[in-house]
Amino acid sequence: MKKILETKNLCKSFGAIKVADELNFHVAENEALGIIGPNGAGKTSLFNLITGTIKQDKGNIFYQGESIDHLNVPNRCHQGISRSFQIPQPFGGLSVFENTFVAASHGAGLSTAIANKTCIQILEQTGLLSKANQIANTLTLLERKRLELARALCAKPKILLLDEIAGGLTESECQLLIQTIFAIKDTGISIIWIEHIVHALMSVVDRLTVINFGAKIADGPPKEIMNSKDVKEIYIGIEADA
Amino acid sequence: MNKEYEILQSSKVSRASGFIAIFLIIFLFFAPWWAGRADIRLLSEIFLYLSLASLWNLLAGYCGLVSVGQQAFVGLGGYLLFALTIFSGFNPFAAILVSGILGALISLPVAFLIFRLRGAYFAIGTWVVAEVFRLSFAQIQSLGGGSGSSLPVGIVKSIASSKAMRESLTYWMILGLTVFILLSVYLILRSRRGIALIAIRDNELASQSLGINILRSKLFVYVVTAGLTTILGGLIFLQKLRISPDAAFNVNDWTAFVIFIVVIGGIGTIEGPIIGVLVFFILRETLADLGSIYLIMLGFVAIFVMIRAPKGIWGFVSSKYNIELFPLSRKLKEIKGE
Ligand SMILES: Nc1ncnc2c1ncn2[C@@H]1O[C@H](COP(=O)(O)OP(=O)(O)OP(=O)(O)O)[C@@H](O)[C@H]1O
Ligand SMILES: [Mg+2]
């Protein structure tokens, strides 16, 4: 399988805190990779490194076989890397539709007519169409998280980075989200999903990577990983936190 | 059941205000026939301030580029008009257009310097640049050095032989440019570039991550604004026929009053500068005889509005009655099909 994204010996620390410690991991094309790890393990920081909002101290990031270390944040998005934010970052004064339109027109570079169509279709897919004209500031936290997903999708990514989008959902909402993510995967998009709601993650991802203190401590088939002794210890930690 | 949707960027209100705007422009076009000379001068000045205010609003209200140094480009435009007509034999109107391009080009290295600065430092940086411009032009002896010079009679006559015709021509140029600037600002903000500017203003982190190059977006606005402000400067001094460094690079006239207009009217709204310029001129025409008390009054009005309506008069009205005369929003509308 071809790798769409790969990191080599990625290192990053904030003072004494190591958020990436000689991190080597990869995602194959059309693979869904799950990432778990305790709070503060460096999961969100990993997304920040991949999208370029923070720069690594050492190591390289490869995307479709080429180093992207020299690319700035918007260019990485144009190349097909798009993310949702754990703490939603809506354009507060713009409507839900306009939020997604920014992603479709600038992130994906679509013409206005095609961007409009794309946004409508993705808003429908993510269940936000009825809120299309609502100003993003007035959305609830759950709606904002859904907007994060919709907006990231409108940038037409080849690899989608999802950061804790299932938290706070009811069981049926969670099932809908899982279906949505399966549908996204069916269109050929690779996915990295960071999630504390482990059962949701387990039902979607092909592979699971566990991170602690910025280092990879396990990687493999989801069931196997969850049953390993090292991970169980941390998993219990996560459950206690969540 | 297959629903169809369309995206609308206008409303009934906006179509009505567009219609009224066109009617008003036609009415103002004929001003030389129905207004006296003093009124024409006043109208010209109102349009010039409206243009300066709209440009500053685009810069500060939409891009967060709070410049207190736009007089650099007003003065530059004035001096380029004098230099190009006196030394290079340009027709005055051609000189003004050329100076617009030159102003935009000169703004590039200026941006290179000041874009490294943030917030208050950026503001101070723009002011320093304007002072450097003022001191530099004061050194040019052939343009009168520190005391300035007048536009030679021959050049003034080349605009039009009669004084009345000259004043009318200048008036139409100013009116035309004002319409062009207001329309440009509006169309920029309604465009994809415009929604990117608003996205940056709302959330820099997200806008970058969704493919917007923040620096490039702001640079675009800075350069366009500089070019148009330079053109305005040319027209301002074509009307005055006399230039000096202190008048050309005056921070009060070309920046402080402009900021007053935008802040009073409503920063970050299309309608704000229009309301602001009306308030400013009403105050000026009624209070100007009071001398320095007039400036104190302006200060009080500014403080009062900032405390009672921080988003300016238009911000207050539009949030209270939920109206936009010139909408920027893109609304999803369901087309009721079969
Ligand atoms: N820009 C920053 N400056 C300083 N410290 C930071 C910065 N970003 C993250 N950190 C620190 O790095 C550590 C890892 O943060 P990160 O957000 O990556 O964790 P996480 O694995 O996503 O945790 P969570 O499960 O709580 O979301 C935390 O201790 C955090 O405080
Ligand atoms: Mg996190």
Side-chain angles (χ1 to χ4, degrees), chain B residues 243-266:
Chain B
I243 198 165
S244 71
D246 290 340
F249 299 98
N250 193 303
V251 65
N252 274 344
D253 287 350
W254 312 130
T255 296
F257 289 154
V258 170
I259 295 177
F260 174 86
I261 288 169
V262 176
V263 170
I264 291 294

Side-chain angles (χ1 to χ4, degrees), chain A residues 70-233:
Chain A
H70 61 286
L71 292 182
N72 63 17
V73 179
N75 280 338
R76 290 185 196 194
C77 174
H78 298 151
Q79 295 285 317
I81 302 173
S82 119
R83 75 181 294 185
S84 74
F85 289 94
Q86 180 178 359
I87 301 165
Q89 306 283 341
F91 303 122
L94 293 176
S95 72
V96 167
F97 172 79
E98 288 162 340
N99 266 267
T100 56
F101 182 83
V102 169
S105 57
H106 290 274
L110 302 176
S111 73
T112 299
I114 297 177
N116 284 346
K117 276 212 186 91
T118 306
C119 293
I120 290 169
Q121 185 228 320
I122 288 171
L123 286 174
E124 192 152 37
Q125 187 184 5
T126 50
L128 275 174
L129 196 58
S130 62
K131 306 264 173 192
N133 291 330
Q134 197 170 326
I135 299 300
N137 262 342
T138 65
L139 296 176
T140 65
L141 179 62
L142 287 184
E143 289 165 345
R144 285 174 196 223
K145 285 195 170 192
R146 219 182 294 173
L147 177 57
E148 283 293 328
L149 173 63
R151 206 172 54 172
L153 274 176
C154 285
K156 290 269 150 199
K158 295 198 180 90
I159 180 162
L160 177 64
L161 314 180
L162 299 174
D163 199 348
E164 297 194 25
I165 53 168
L169 297 183
T170 65
E171 190 45 44
S172 63
E173 286 169 333
C174 199
Q175 286 310 316
L176 271 177
L177 178 68
I178 288 168
Q179 279 170 30
T180 309
I181 293 175
F182 267 121
I184 294 165
K185 189 164 180 273
D186 279 344
T187 63
I189 298 174
S190 314
I191 295 170
I192 307 180
W193 187 5
I194 295 172
E195 193 53 76
H196 282 316
I197 314 295
V198 177
H199 77 273
L201 197 62
M202 296 281 284
S203 61
V204 173
V205 299
D206 306 310
R207 190 158 58 88
L208 203 56
T209 292
V210 187
I211 291 178
N212 202 5
F213 298 113
K216 185 165 87 176
I217 58 168
D219 179 79
K223 287 229 171 66
E224 227 170 85
I225 296 292
M226 286 313 295
N227 289 329
S228 77
K229 195 167 156 279
D230 282 358
V231 176
K232 265 191 173 155
E233 274 171 25

Side-chain angles (χ1 to χ4, degrees), chain B:
Chain B
M1 209 181 67
N2 233 334
K3 284 182 188 158
E4 286 209 21
Y5 300 90
E6 64 177 343
I7 306 300
L8 295 180
Q9 259 194 304
S10 60
S11 65
K12 271 195 191 123
V13 177
S14 75
R15 280 188 289 275
S17 47
F19 184 75
I20 292 170
I22 291 170
F23 180 78
L24 197 62
I25 292 164
I26 295 171
F27 177 68
L28 289 168
F29 177 83
F30 290 105
W33 284 276
W34 54 258
R37 281 184 53 201
D39 296 333
I40 293 285
R41 282 193 82 85
L42 180 63
L43 281 174
S44 300
E45 212 184 341
I46 292 174
F47 299 157
L48 288 168
Y49 268 103
L50 178 56
S51 300
L52 286 171
S54 286
L55 291 175
W56 192 82
N57 183 40
L58 179 64
L59 206 57
Y62 286 94
C63 297
L65 297 170
V66 181
S67 166
V68 293
Q70 289 312 91
Q71 68 274 18
F73 296 104
V74 173
L76 180 69
Y79 268 101
L80 283 176
L81 165 72
F82 277 55
L84 289 172
T85 51
I86 296 173
F87 305 137
S88 311
F90 273 72
N91 167 285
F93 292 127
I96 286 172
L97 287 181
V98 171
S99 66
I101 296 165
L102 291 175
L105 288 177
I106 290 169
S107 76
L108 281 169
V110 172
F112 181 77
L113 285 175
I114 58 173
F115 271 41
R116 293 154 190 265
L117 307 172
R118 299 261 156 252
Y121 296 98
F122 175 86
I124 293 166
T126 59
W127 197 347
V128 170
V129 167
E131 284 301 292
V132 170
F133 276 35
R134 183 175 68 83
L135 294 170
S136 309
F137 279 99
Q139 296 306 310
I140 303 175
Q141 292 309 324
S142 51
L143 286 171
S147 52
S149 63
S150 298
L151 206 57
V153 180
I155 291 166
V156 176
K157 286 252 162 73
S158 76
I159 302 168
S161 47
S162 82
K163 193 167 188 183
M165 193 59 201
R166 199 162 58 233
E167 285 182 350
S168 298
L169 269 180
T170 314
Y171 169 80
W172 284 323
M173 281 292 287
I174 292 171
L175 175 63
L177 184 63
T178 301
V179 171
F180 177 77
I181 286 177
L182 262 58
L183 204 62
S184 303
V185 170
Y186 185 45
L187 291 180
I188 287 175
L189 288 174
R190 273 169 71 96
S191 73
R192 296 148 64 93
R193 245 183 226 287
I195 202 173
L197 294 174
I198 296 169
I200 295 170
R201 185 177 69 175
D202 279 0
N203 194 320
E204 291 211 353
L205 175 64
S207 65
Q208 272 185 313
S209 303
L210 292 165
I212 296 170
N213 189 318
I214 295 179
L215 189 67
R216 208 177 295 164
S217 304
K218 290 189 175 180
L219 187 65
F220 165 77
V221 171
Y222 186 76
V223 171
V224 168
T225 307
L228 291 171
T229 306
T230 309
I231 292 182
L232 282 169
L235 281 173
I236 287 170
F237 287 94
L238 183 64
Q239 211 193 20
K240 291 188 186 294
L241 302 177
R242 213 198 124 63
I243 198 165
S244 71
D246 290 340
F249 299 98
N250 193 303
V251 65
N252 274 344
D253 287 350
W254 312 130
T255 296
F257 289 154
V258 170
I259 295 177
F260 174 86
I261 288 169
V262 176
V263 170
I264 291 294
I267 189 166
T269 63
I270 290 275
E271 298 87 349
I274 302 173
I275 308 286
V277 86
L278 293 177
V279 172
F280 174 69
F281 275 89
I282 290 169
L283 286 174
R284 204 186 76 172
E285 293 304 300
T286 50
L287 300 175
D289 297 338
L290 301 177
S292 59
I293 293 179
Y294 152 64
L295 289 175
I296 297 170
M297 298 280 283
L298 281 191
F300 275 121
V301 171
I303 292 167
F304 179 78
V305 172
M306 279 190 279
I307 290 172
R308 298 305 298 268
K311 287 176 178 170
I313 295 170
W314 183 257
F316 179 77
V317 172
S318 76
S319 65
K320 188 155 187 190
Y321 301 102
N322 193 21
I323 42 168
E324 283 180 302
L325 296 183
F326 301 102
L328 302 174
S329 56
R330 292 159 197 264
K331 291 231 154 63
L332 182 86
K333 190 170 165 254
E334 201 176 303
I335 306 171
K336 291 262 155 34
E338 54 272 32

